[in-house]
Amino acid sequence: MRGSHRTSTTQMEVTSIRLEKTLKDSLKSLSGSQGYQTLIRDILWNYVQQKSGEYRPNFSKTDIRATIPATARKDESCVLSGKLISEDDEMLLALTIHGDFVPVSEEALKK
């Protein structure tokens, strides 16, 4: 999978993809100085990692806007501490500044 370093473009394969002009323009404006192709690669890697179960978002307490008491229906990983929240354990669902709900242990918020 993707490492912590960037792959040289000489080691990449050329792929053609058709995008709507408005989508391409939006990606260009969102990408800033990194370029829209780099942004597309980052988006695709994030998708692959999420689907493979390897995605581990990095959050801090300042990213959390609100919490809701919940019960884990399967094993989860606290996004603040990385510690296991076992199935049927009490936990919190935290609403992030990005609008995502993520699992958080009560202990991680107390620290």
Side-chain angles (χ1 to χ4, degrees), residues 21-111:
K21 181 177 178 357
T22 55
L23 175 58
K24 185 176 176 181
D25 290 343
S26 294
L27 288 166
K28 282 182 176 181
S29 67
L30 291 171
S31 67
S33 62
Q34 75 174 341
Y36 79 98
Q37 291 180 352
T38 301
L39 177 60
I40 290 171
R41 281 194 300 275
D42 287 345
I43 292 167
L44 291 172
W45 272 118
N46 285 338
Y47 179 83
V48 167
Q49 289 172 336
Q50 286 176 19
K51 290 299 183 182
S52 69
E54 294 179 14
Y55 179 68
R56 299 290 179 257
N58 294 319
F59 290 102
S60 68
K61 288 182 189 179
T62 58
D63 294 321
I64 296 175
R65 300 175 64 187
T67 58
I68 301 168
T71 303
R73 296 293 172 221
K74 64 179 187 74
D75 288 349
E76 297 285 354
S77 179
C78 173
V79 297
L80 296 177
S81 67
K83 292 186 179 177
L84 174 70
I85 302 170
S86 297
E87 182 178 353
D88 295 324
D89 280 356
E90 297 301 313
M91 66 174 203
L92 299 170
L93 283 178
L95 175 64
T96 70
I97 58 175
H98 306 290
D100 299 310
F101 279 103
V102 293
V104 176
S105 66
E106 292 184 20
E107 297 81 39
L109 283 180
K110 292 178 184 175
K111 295 179 182 178

